[in-house]
Amino acid sequence: MGEKKAVIVTENLTKRFKDFTAVDHINLEVMEGEIFGFLGPNGAGKSTAIRMLTTLSEPSEGTAKIEGYDIRHQSDEVRKRIGLVAEKLILYPRLTAVENLMFFGQLYGLNGTYLRQRIDDLVKMVRLEAFKNMPIGGYSSGMRQRINIMRGLLHNPDILFLDEPTALLDPQSIQFVHDLIRELNEAGKTIILTTHIMEEADQLSSTIGIIDHGKMIAVDTPAELKSKNGSESLLEVFLKLTGRDLRDSASNRVPMGMMRGPA
Amino acid sequence: MRNGLFQDIQTTLLVTQKDLLDFWKAKMLVAFFMIMPILFMSMFGFMFPQTGESNPFSGKVSTPYKNAPIGIVLEDQGPFALQVADQFREMSSSTGLFKVQDFASFESAREQIVSGNLKGVVVIPVGFTEAFNSQRQATVIITVDDTNPQIASIIYSEATSIFKAISDGLSVSLIAKMDNGVDPSFVSKPISVENRDLIAGTANTFQFLAPGFIALTAVMGVLSGLGAAISREKEQGTMDGLMVAPVSRYSIVVGKILAQTVRGLIQGFMILIISMFLFGVRVYGNPLLMMLVMLLGVASFSGIGIIVTSMAAEQETAQMMMMMLQFPMMFLCGIVFPIEQLPNWLQAVGKLLPLYYAADALRKIMVLNASFSQVFLDIGVLGIYSVVTMGMAMPIFRKVMRR
């Protein structure tokens, strides 16, 4: 088996909004084929970091490379290799699942028979064949999220960013998504998972990175984090490292209009 | 993966197709989209009815305001005064211009004007007959309801026309009595005036309005639709899906502009059809030239629309900002009434807006069959606006989307 390489490497990645630093000189490596759980309290900088890595936001300082391509200067190459499943559904509610997937597939240069077959395969994977020609607006939240994930996978990216993929889902849907994440990872995909659900991060992630106040404060396997911090649960580790105070102060709030996702 | 210009064009068309499909699936929105121009044009069309020749003696009404209630006060009971009053009543009736009511005094007539029952009063003052008999000019006094200056102007103008006609008739008969062998018509009116139309058929107020409305509808469609489209994508999260794809940002924006342009052109076309079939508007000019003007008009406002909506965090804010731009344009750009009716400084403001040039060019093409060279200035201004605003808008859009 070949040596695994770092598919995401950040170098002093920083993002400032006027006098507020949301992400503060992060240096991070995500290895090929791992599930990287990205944790942090509200306002810690998770979503800002994800937005920079997915080329949706310009870094103020530093840079990152995705499979060797610079996010600032080779953003198109980065975009070809990543898939984004944001917390807000990237789906048009009036269009059907097929219409949505056809549109996004074509944006990635897929078309014709290949795209139709790919859509059929993905819809089958998430067991939504019977509903594929219904407008997405009529789906349940679980159904929408399944199609949302499929949308991120259309162009078969090597790296998948999943931002709160199970938020607001029922237990059955959560289980389905977890199984799907494992299946995708076993197929070789690198997954960056942000979540507030500690059990989810614990169960799924091979490596966990904890960010607070814009800085990476811990990066390790779940077992090592628990061991080093003398806790049996990841939740306790998290609270130990980030504190138990509620995050309502101004220093933790990103200015309105600067964010398009959860802090 | 595709590369270069071909890919950009394909992406543009893909985004356009998606936006139009998304729009088409919103059935309520489509219904209002179709109804709006019909309602809009019907309202304005019936507010400004067609006019005939401007001649109070021909029997054809030249004013949109018929049978206006007007009073007459005979302060002079002399024979000349009575004669003129009779002629005024007869002409008012035969032309359908006025419904004349007699009043004993100016004050009683004034009360009726204030109450809203009269639009004006004609007073034939004391000394009218005596002046005539003494071969001095006799004067009638016309008072109109000034609360509505537009109506007041019409009433005054029509009443003056009737008295002018009476005066001309009297001139002819007075000169005939002099019996010096000269044609009394010639002496009374050595110069007559004949109107020659630039366009065939009768003058139609709606011929002025229709091009402006077509331009306004297309532009408003782009401004409000584009703003809503971009803001809605930002709010619902799908903008991230577009921006994370390996496609040109410009092709995304141009695709959206194209979708809104198609919608605007459809509505503009609907307005044109309604104008032609319901209100007798005729198109004398080149449809391709009209299309060019419309496209440039849309392009010139697209840039403004993108700049404004890039800066608005929510759809509601974007829509408010667009309304703030659209509403004054209706009055400043010669859409509803000629820009020359505005004070000079407001005319200057209106002429800074591309809609003025779009409406002006469309009007010249549609009504006067103007050629490309004859609307070159308008097209040139629209072209410059398009290039400048789009040139400014794209980097702003890119920068704001990547904040």
Side-chain angles (χ1 to χ4, degrees):
Chain A
M1 200 181 275
E3 202 177 298
K4 289 202 175 169
K5 58 179 181 173
V7 291
I8 298 177
V9 179
T10 72
E11 195 178 313
N12 292 320
L13 193 64
T14 302
K15 181 69 180 181
R16 292 186 199 94
F17 299 100
K18 294 184 183 176
D19 56 356
F20 169 72
T21 303
V23 174
D24 194 353
H25 295 88
I26 284 183
N27 292 290
L28 183 65
E29 278 187 6
V30 177
M31 306 308 287
E32 183 183 15
E34 72 173 345
I35 299 179
F36 186 89
F38 202 13
L39 308 182
N42 282 340
K46 297 191 301 298
S47 286
T48 308
I50 296 293
R51 288 187 70 79
M52 285 191 284
L53 291 173
T54 52
T55 73
L56 291 175
S57 179
E58 188 87 25
S60 308
E61 203 184 311
T63 189
K65 286 192 174 166
I66 309 282
E67 290 198 329
Y69 294 99
D70 190 291
I71 58 170
R72 281 180 192 265
H73 307 298
Q74 296 168 299
S75 47
D76 267 1
E77 292 301 323
V78 170
R79 288 168 191 151
K80 288 174 191 174
R81 288 160 175 76
I82 63 171
L84 172 64
V85 179
E87 191 184 8
K88 271 189 184 173
L89 294 171
I90 301 178
L91 293 167
Y92 297 96
R94 289 196 281 252
L95 303 188
T96 66
V98 170
E99 286 164 347
N100 269 283
L101 295 175
M102 283 291 290
F103 170 67
F104 283 107
Q106 286 175 296
L107 274 187
Y108 283 89
L110 311 176
N111 43 43
T113 318
Y114 173 78
L115 176 58
R116 282 189 192 83
Q117 188 59 54
R118 180 110 183 106
I119 290 170
D120 283 345
D121 292 342
L122 290 172
V123 166
K124 201 170 173 182
M125 188 190 252
V126 292
R127 299 179 208 159
L128 288 173
E129 305 103 299
F131 305 95
K132 66 181 181 181
N133 292 313
M134 267 178 59
I136 295 281
Y139 284 20
S140 68
S141 53
M143 291 163 75
R144 279 185 226 147
Q145 186 63 313
R146 280 139 67 187
I147 293 294
N148 195 27
I149 294 172
M150 292 303 105
R151 184 209 37 81
L153 287 170
L154 265 172
H155 56 295
N156 202 20
D158 297 326
I159 300 166
L160 196 58
F161 289 84
L162 299 175
D163 192 353
E164 309 271 0
T166 58
L168 304 176
L169 295 188
D170 61 21
Q172 287 82 1
S173 296
I174 291 172
Q175 189 58 52
F176 186 91
V177 171
H178 284 180
D179 291 343
L180 189 59
I181 290 171
R182 288 192 192 94
E183 199 179 315
L184 292 170
N185 183 240
E186 280 162 17
K189 303 232 178 286
T190 306
I191 295 174
I192 292 82
L193 171 72
T194 66
T195 180
H196 279 139
I197 306 169
M198 294 299 125
E199 292 83 10
E200 183 171 82
D202 199 358
Q203 283 169 26
L204 294 176
S205 309
S206 43
T207 306
I208 285 178
I210 299 178
I211 184 172
D212 198 11
H213 298 296
K215 294 182 196 293
M216 292 301 296
I217 57 173
V219 180
D220 218 326
T221 65
E224 283 296 319
L225 280 173
K226 287 179 233 177
S227 167
K228 285 176 184 173
N229 289 280
S231 296
E232 287 189 10
S233 84
L234 192 58
L235 175 61
E236 281 302 314
V237 173
F238 185 85
L239 290 173
K240 192 173 178 182
L241 293 174
T242 62
R244 290 178 182 267
D245 291 338
L246 292 173
R247 299 304 182 96
D248 295 338
S249 62
S251 62
N252 286 324
R253 282 185 282 117
V254 178
M256 280 286 284
M258 298 296 185
M259 295 291 294
R260 288 180 189 82
Chain B
M1 292 268 182
R2 302 159 294 186
N3 285 302
L5 183 62
F6 179 68
Q7 181 187 356
D8 288 349
I9 292 171
Q10 281 200 297
T11 304
T12 298
L13 293 175
L14 185 59
V15 171
T16 302
Q17 184 191 25
K18 184 272 298 171
D19 275 11
L20 289 173
L21 177 62
D22 195 31
F23 165 72
W24 177 248
K25 291 201 168 214
K27 296 303 178 196
M28 193 71 90
L29 190 59
V30 171
F32 277 106
F33 174 82
M34 305 295 269
I35 292 169
M36 198 279 285
I38 297 171
L39 267 180
F40 187 66
M41 293 312 287
S42 301
M43 262 175 18
F44 276 96
F46 293 119
M47 206 188 297
F48 297 96
Q50 296 179 42
T51 57
E53 288 178 44
S54 182
N55 186 339
F57 304 114
S58 68
K60 290 180 188 173
V61 176
S62 63
T63 174
Y65 198 64
K66 297 181 196 176
N67 291 318
I70 197 167
I72 189 165
V73 177
L74 273 166
E75 290 179 350
D76 186 321
Q77 295 289 323
F80 181 60
L82 294 172
Q83 177 193 329
V84 168
D86 281 343
Q87 281 182 296
F88 181 77
R89 288 191 199 91
E90 195 194 316
M91 283 182 183
S92 299
S93 173
S94 66
T95 58
L97 286 170
F98 299 122
K99 216 169 186 177
V100 183
Q101 301 168 40
D102 286 86
F103 287 86
S105 66
F106 174 74
E107 285 70 28
S108 58
R110 187 181 182 281
E111 264 178 43
Q112 294 304 309
I113 293 176
V114 171
S115 303
N117 298 324
L118 279 187
K119 292 299 170 190
V121 58
V122 169
V123 176
I124 298 181
V126 171
F128 188 81
T129 303
E130 192 204 332
F132 178 75
N133 291 337
S134 309
Q135 295 183 352
R136 285 181 284 117
Q137 198 175 53
T139 304
V140 296
I141 302 164
I142 302 174
T143 304
V144 292
D145 177 1
D146 290 315
T147 56
N148 188 326
Q150 193 177 0
I151 301 291
S153 173
I154 293 170
I155 302 290
Y156 183 81
S157 171
E158 297 301 337
T160 306
S161 299
I162 292 178
F163 281 109
K164 186 175 183 310
I166 296 171
S167 182
D168 288 345
L170 271 171
S171 280
V172 169
S173 64
L174 284 172
I175 293 164
K177 280 181 188 167
M178 289 174 191
D179 194 23
N180 51 13
V182 179
D183 181 359
S185 301
F186 168 73
V187 175
S188 161
K189 202 175 177 182
I191 299 172
S192 69
V193 176
E194 186 185 298
N195 180 42
R196 181 183 291 176
D197 289 327
L198 271 181
I199 54 172
T202 54
N204 185 337
T205 307
F206 219 71
Q207 202 80 43
F208 167 83
L209 291 172
F213 284 144
I214 292 168
L216 180 70
T217 306
V219 159
M220 271 170 64
V222 164
L223 264 187
S224 57
L226 187 61
I230 292 177
S231 303
R232 188 171 56 247
E233 295 245 24
K234 276 161 62 174
E235 273 182 21
Q236 74 185 12
T238 46
M239 184 60 79
D240 282 351
L242 296 175
M243 301 299 276
V244 86
V247 296
S248 150
R249 272 84 192 97
Y250 301 132
S251 57
I252 294 170
V253 175
V254 173
K256 291 197 158 299
I257 291 170
L258 203 49
Q260 297 303 324
T261 303
V262 168
R263 285 169 57 168
L265 289 177
I266 290 173
Q267 281 195 316
F269 183 69
M270 283 176 69
I271 286 179
L272 179 63
I273 296 297
I274 293 167
S275 306
M276 287 170 69
F277 287 100
L278 280 188
F279 303 114
V281 166
R282 297 184 66 183
V283 176
Y284 296 95
N286 186 339
L288 289 177
L289 195 52
M290 282 174 61
M291 183 72 81
L292 173 63
V293 169
M294 297 260 291
L295 286 173
L296 284 174
V298 162
S300 65
F301 272 94
S302 299
I304 298 169
I306 294 165
I307 292 168
V308 166
T309 57
S310 293
M311 294 173 178
E314 305 97 22
Q315 185 176 345
E316 201 175 337
T317 308
Q319 284 178 328
M320 289 298 292
M321 289 163 92
M322 291 309 165
M323 270 174 60
M324 218 177 70
L325 285 174
Q326 289 166 10
F327 189 66
M329 281 197 297
M330 280 185 71
F331 300 98
L332 292 177
C333 296
I335 306 295
V336 180
F337 47 78
I339 195 173
E340 290 79 8
Q341 288 184 225
L342 297 170
N344 289 340
W345 69 274
L346 273 179
Q347 287 186 45
V349 171
K351 288 179 183 176
L352 289 173
L353 299 169
L355 182 59
Y356 166 78
Y357 299 96
D360 186 56
L362 268 182
R363 200 168 279 133
K364 285 175 186 164
I365 296 165
M366 279 176 64
V367 179
L368 301 177
N369 191 16
S371 65
F372 179 85
S373 60
Q374 288 168 324
V375 293
F376 182 72
L377 176 65
D378 291 317
I379 287 176
V381 170
L382 288 173
I384 291 169
Y385 256 107
S386 303
V387 168
V388 168
T389 57
M390 290 294 268
M392 284 170 58
M394 295 300 191
I396 290 174
F397 176 81
R398 232 187 114 92
K399 188 175 177 186
V400 169
M401 289 297 119
R402 281 204 85 190
R403 254 194 235 149

